[in-house]
Amino acid sequence: MLLTDVALPVPIARAFTYGVPGDLAARVVAGARVVCPFGGRRLMGVALSVFEGEGPRGVKAVSRVIEGVPSVPEDLLAFLRDLASYYFAPIGEVVRLALPPLERATALEVNDPMLFDEARGVGARVVKWAAATATVDASAEGALRGQTSAVLAHVRALGAEPVARLVARWGNARAAVQRLADLGLITLEDRPAPEAPAFADEAVRDAPRQATPAQAAAVLAIGGALREARGATFLLHGVTGSGKTEVYLRCIAQARELGRGSIVLVPEIALTPQLVASFRARFGDDVAVLHSGLTPRQRYAMWRRLRDGEVDVAIGARSALFAPVRALGLVVVDEEHDPSFKQEEGVRYHARDMAILRTHRAGGVCVLGSATPSLESEQLARTGRAVKLRLPDRARSQPMPRVEIVDLRRMGAGPTGDRRISLPLHRAIEDTLRAREQAILFLNRRGFAPSVRCEACGQIAACPHCSVALTFHKRAGAVVRCHYCDFETALGARCSKCNAEALSLEGIGTEKLEETLSAAFPEARVARLDRDVASGRTVDAVLARVRAREVDILVGTQMVTKGHDLPNVTLVGVINADAALSMPDFRASERTFQLLVQVAGRAGRGDVPGRVIVQTWDPEHPAGALAARHDVDGFLERELRDRRELGYPPHARSALIRVDAPEEPAARRACAQMAEVALACEAGRSGRVLVQGPAPAPIARIRNRWRFRVMLRAADRPPLREALAAVDAARGSLARGVRASIDVDPVQLL
Ligand code: ADP
Ligand code: ZN
């Protein structure tokens, strides 16, 4: 009989076999979405293969086929199977990565009409637009206040604008819009929603500019590999401001001429409105921008257009790697060093590593771009598995910014009285404001104060569910919040342990920095960018305000370090360069170096040279000292040597096994069991796999679960895989309530 193996959305590693009824035989093909009975339910899955065979006894039959065209093209399907095997991840969960992202698991059940009714509904949604009328009413307009008159001016300038965009820009625009409508100055009308809303960019078509010689050389090399179609990887190492985007654009244009599609991966789409705007300017509507602001229906429409070959360029965060782009020829990973390319839950894949795998399978080209290459990519280049291309200078020959190190041990507080705004930084901010230029201040802690201590008994307020200090947030209503489980409570006047009225706020977060600066520089307009202010749309709005020079000082977490190109920013201040160094992670030094070079790279991109002030308690640390000299090669050399001595990646392969349970002893026991399994296999006994642990995780408890871990390391992959296979098999027999996960090539060690 005709059988099919189906990947179902259940956390069981294997695929499930079903019979194919005769009337469906023509339509059940590898990659097609099918509905199958499972337990008492019917689930939607993806057929992995179709074959003739003797069905297992009582084999159930596929109940329907959703569409005859494979939802997951065959090459993508084969890539997903490799990925599942590489990460020891259930194939059903991996295949889901490639389906139109329906956020809730239940949406995969068959009652979701979207899965069936494809023609209907897509694009039928309407959105409200505000359109200017011909009415002019001088007396009424004269009485309008700031925001309302700004909205009116904006709508008049553009003729009409979606209300949602006005709200994204002005926050309170809804009231203003209503007021203007009541006055007859604008009308509100429903218009059909575009299938794929552009970002708030004015997508003007732009012609390629004259490439710099270094850009041209890079494009030539990558273009050559595209034509050869043999599978190649390039590491595009270009200093901050060297114009990597232009290289990507030209390579994509070449791929299109060859009839091949492209994917561009960026760390976070909301933080890269400029990059997206450049792509839309060059390719118009031929680009699918996959961002979190899309409704499920819009995502679905995008996914269809890509699969059907109507659009051949996709841009998005890591999950865009699974876009069903036809005849994939090129994958660009911009800011390839960014840790967000690693998914830290569910299927723990690394989009950069998998981008290389996918392009090589497709005979395509993978371009990894960065000003601060990861050690992994650098090692690829040194071992001949990637070709390094350099853009050594800024695109318009601007000088790299001058970096000054301020030793916080020696330097007292500036005029604010706060040591964390040293005198040199204070003076530099004054100079910048006076010159009407802009400053970015980077501090890697959000909230107002990172911890609250009782000065009577010494206790630090901790989360009741996690072994983590609570952060004080002033704006959110004077609450303390856990950044791991989002537990939140009002900050009382007394210590919960000794009842003394002696609580004091310790440390500084972005909220406090913003407040301190506003008080010290009352004439300056200060804005903040961190996860507390930032959902996708507000990020865009904040960055738009900075670009429009409506902000003088931008304060923020690592969100301000990303690839922003803001020509009027001439000063960058790093409040505490050492913050990232204290993390229990062998990559702490690399991460610190990358953050410093990246944030420094925001300065002086326009005509006025930039200046960077790095405050540190540890001025001798090589990460800071090398970053101050923009010495990326020196850092890579040194760090690779240190890693080799310690046997850490990229000189070794590693995997982390995490175990957690509601009771500490159960978690410890289960973790010990996993370690024993790894030691007992051939690779473990022969010492080809090094087993470290069981050990408590650096954060011992999160969400009421105790956490332990085992680290496995090996010189090469086969022994590591052998040990992981043994652990994977043993996972099934763990006690109830105990969870164990496998993280291959871990990035976050927490
Ligand atoms: P990177 O991502 O390498 O930091 P960007 O791609 O953001 O750099 O480019 C930096 C700036 O240089 C941008 O303002 C861009 O418009 C400009 N630029 C890039 N290439 C050229 C070029 N060939 N000629 C003139 N300006 C360029
Ligand atoms: Zn918590």
Side-chain angles (χ1 to χ4, degrees):
M1 66 191 286
L2 197 58
L3 297 169
T4 174
D5 275 346
V6 180
L8 289 174
V10 291
I12 296 173
R14 60 189 183 82
F16 296 85
T17 305
Y18 288 90
V20 180
D23 57 329
L24 297 184
R27 297 171 65 223
V28 177
V29 291
R33 287 182 291 172
V34 293
V35 177
C36 303
F38 188 85
R41 300 178 295 168
R42 294 199 306 153
L43 294 177
M44 189 199 71
V46 171
L48 295 174
S49 57
V50 183
F51 51 96
E52 278 291 340
E54 192 64 40
R57 233 163 24 110
V59 67
K60 297 210 180 85
V62 169
S63 30
R64 63 182 293 181
V65 187
I66 293 179
E67 52 189 351
V69 197
S71 293
V72 184
E74 202 153 354
D75 55 328
L76 181 53
L77 200 62
F79 159 64
L80 293 170
R81 297 178 86 159
D82 283 359
L83 185 149
S85 147
Y86 185 90
Y87 288 112
F88 292 87
I91 183 69
E93 289 185 14
V94 170
V95 166
R96 262 175 74 186
L97 296 170
L99 291 177
L102 306 168
E103 269 71 37
R104 303 146 320 222
T106 52
L108 281 172
E109 296 187 15
V110 287
N111 54 10
D112 192 310
M114 179 166 41
L115 298 172
F116 298 104
D117 200 354
E118 293 172 352
R120 198 206 60 178
V122 174
R125 219 169 51 95
V126 293
V127 289
K128 275 258 178 294
W129 282 66
T133 60
T135 311
V136 177
D137 180 341
S139 69
E141 285 171 41
L144 295 178
R145 305 230 158 263
Q147 195 172 80
T148 313
S149 70
V151 168
L152 178 61
H154 184 79
V155 172
R156 278 189 175 156
L158 295 177
E161 180 78 333
V163 173
R165 279 201 197 171
L166 298 171
V167 172
R169 175 129 182 224
W170 280 284
N172 243 336
R174 257 177 232 293
V177 165
Q178 199 51 57
R179 177 92 198 282
L180 294 170
D182 292 345
L183 290 171
L185 297 172
I186 61 171
T187 56
L188 293 174
E189 45 199 58
D190 285 334
R191 296 191 185 178
E195 286 199 347
F199 256 63
D201 57 87
E202 288 76 48
V204 206
R205 282 270 181 166
D206 131 52
R209 61 187 120 229
Q210 181 73 37
T212 63
Q215 284 172 332
V219 172
L220 193 68
I222 296 168
L226 276 169
R227 274 187 299 280
E228 278 183 23
R230 270 197 289 125
T233 302
F234 291 91
L235 172 56
L236 180 64
H237 178 186
V239 299
T240 52
S242 57
K244 291 184 283 293
T245 314
E246 184 64 35
V247 174
Y248 305 152
L249 290 167
R250 284 167 185 254
C251 293
I252 290 167
Q254 295 207 357
R256 297 184 82 188
E257 275 167 27
L258 295 166
R260 304 196 66 172
S262 304
I263 296 176
V264 180
L265 303 181
V266 296
E268 215 172 317
I269 197 101
L271 285 174
T272 43
Q274 285 170 305
L275 187 107
V276 170
S278 323
F279 276 79
R280 295 194 68 87
R282 194 69 56 89
F283 301 117
D285 283 334
D286 296 338
V287 179
V289 181
L290 306 168
H291 61 84
S292 59
L294 297 177
T295 64
R297 226 173 258 292
Q298 289 167 327
R299 277 175 180 257
Y300 182 62
M302 287 279 192
W303 178 84
R304 281 283 303 254
R305 294 179 67 197
L306 287 165
R307 190 203 63 185
D308 297 344
E310 286 169 36
V311 174
D312 57 7
V313 183
I315 304 187
R318 59 174 181 259
S319 61
L321 176 63
F322 305 107
V325 171
R326 279 226 190 149
L328 184 68
L330 175 67
V331 178
V332 171
V333 185
D334 187 33
E335 312 292 359
E336 61 84 22
H337 62 277
D338 198 286
S340 72
F341 287 120
K342 177 73 194 301
Q343 172 142 310
E344 295 291 1
E345 60 195 13
V347 181
R348 291 172 173 265
Y349 66 92
H350 201 306
R352 176 193 60 218
D353 301 347
M354 291 301 108
I356 296 176
L357 181 66
R358 188 171 175 194
T359 45
H360 278 229
R361 292 191 58 105
V365 172
C366 186
V367 175
L368 311 175
S370 179
T372 50
S374 64
L375 277 281
E376 282 77 9
S377 301
E378 174 68 13
Q379 184 69 0
L380 286 181
R382 290 186 179 213
T383 51
R385 287 170 290 164
V387 175
K388 194 161 181 172
L389 303 170
R390 284 182 189 262
L391 305 178
D393 302 304
R394 286 187 157 179
R396 292 185 296 114
S397 310
Q398 308 95 312
M400 297 305 285
R402 185 161 50 93
V403 182
E404 299 152 50
I405 303 252
V406 170
D407 183 349
L408 286 173
R409 297 168 309 182
R410 300 228 170 82
M411 193 63 70
T416 58
D418 189 327
R419 269 187 104 164
R420 291 158 299 202
I421 302 172
S422 64
L423 187 61
L425 180 58
H426 194 99
R427 292 280 174 259
I429 295 173
E430 283 174 347
D431 293 346
T432 307
L433 294 174
R434 203 173 305 120
R436 306 218 162 276
E437 293 158 8
Q438 294 168 296
I440 288 181
L441 296 187
F442 165 53
L443 172 62
N444 222 358
R445 285 309 270 277
R446 65 194 168 94
F448 192 85
S451 54
V452 181
R453 187 187 293 277
C454 170
E455 292 189 332
C457 73
Q459 169 171 272
I460 285 187
C463 176
H465 311 292
C466 313
S467 39
V468 168
L470 293 170
T471 300
F472 178 65
H473 288 256
K474 193 169 173 181
R475 293 283 170 77
V479 294
V480 282
R481 203 179 269 166
C482 171
H483 287 179
Y484 285 83
C485 73
D486 290 329
F487 166 83
E488 179 181 298
T489 181
L491 180 65
R494 294 171 180 280
C495 170
S496 62
K497 188 174 161 205
C498 75
N499 216 30
E501 223 171 303
L503 297 181
S504 87
L505 302 176
E506 291 192 336
I508 185 170
T510 45
E511 232 184 78
K512 179 165 187 201
L513 182 61
E514 182 190 16
E515 192 177 289
T516 309
L517 290 167
S518 297
F521 304 100
E523 74 286 7
R525 295 160 298 176
V526 183
R528 174 162 58 96
L529 195 58
D530 57 31
R531 270 216 282 133
D532 295 319
V533 271
S535 62
R537 294 223 172 264
T538 36
V539 174
D540 210 31
V542 170
L543 289 171
R545 277 172 54 218
V546 180
R547 258 197 310 281
R549 298 170 69 159
E550 292 165 13
V551 168
D552 302 303
I553 305 176
L554 177 66
V555 169
T557 54
Q558 38 83 27
M559 287 183 147
V560 304
T561 68
K562 309 280 160 136
H564 319 298
D565 188 41
L566 303 161
N568 196 46
V569 170
T570 54
L571 174 67
V572 163
V574 177
I575 301 300
N576 178 3
D578 322 319
L581 281 176
S582 55
M583 291 189 321
D585 185 337
F586 68 87
R587 289 194 182 86
S589 196
E590 178 184 1
R591 189 82 193 104
T592 301
F593 178 80
Q594 287 164 348
L595 280 170
L596 292 178
V597 172
Q598 291 291 345
V599 73
R602 300 314 111 210
R605 293 166 78 99
D607 295 326
V608 182
R611 181 177 174 195
V612 182
I613 296 191
V614 175
Q615 303 186 140
T616 171
W617 296 99
D618 185 6
E620 269 88 54
H621 195 284
L626 290 162
R629 297 201 298 271
H630 307 286
D631 188 358
V632 177
D633 289 327
F635 176 78
L636 290 170
E637 189 66 46
R638 192 194 155 93
E639 186 66 16
L640 274 176
R641 194 186 60 216
D642 288 357
R643 300 265 184 98
R644 181 176 302 120
E645 275 164 22
L646 296 167
Y648 279 126
H651 293 291
R653 301 298 193 170
S654 69
L656 195 60
I657 297 157
R658 292 186 182 80
V659 177
D660 64 45
E663 309 292 335
E664 187 179 13
R668 183 190 299 274
R669 229 176 7 251
C671 192
Q673 199 182 325
M674 295 296 106
E676 275 163 31
V677 168
L679 274 173
C681 73
E682 156 61 24
R685 284 199 312 271
S686 65
R688 285 185 302 143
V689 165
L690 216 67
V691 180
Q692 284 175 299
I699 297 178
R701 193 172 54 121
I702 294 183
R703 292 177 202 272
N704 296 318
R705 298 183 68 92
W706 293 89
R707 311 166 71 242
F708 286 81
R709 61 183 198 171
V710 182
M711 176 71 99
L712 304 184
R713 280 192 281 159
D716 48 13
R717 192 158 298 285
L720 187 67
R721 283 191 66 82
E722 186 192 325
L724 288 175
V727 169
D728 190 30
R731 273 202 289 181
S733 57
L734 285 175
R736 257 183 91 91
V738 180
R739 297 188 303 210
S741 67
I742 291 177
D743 189 353
V744 179
D745 306 328
V747 169
Q748 226 196 78
L749 302 183
L750 291 179

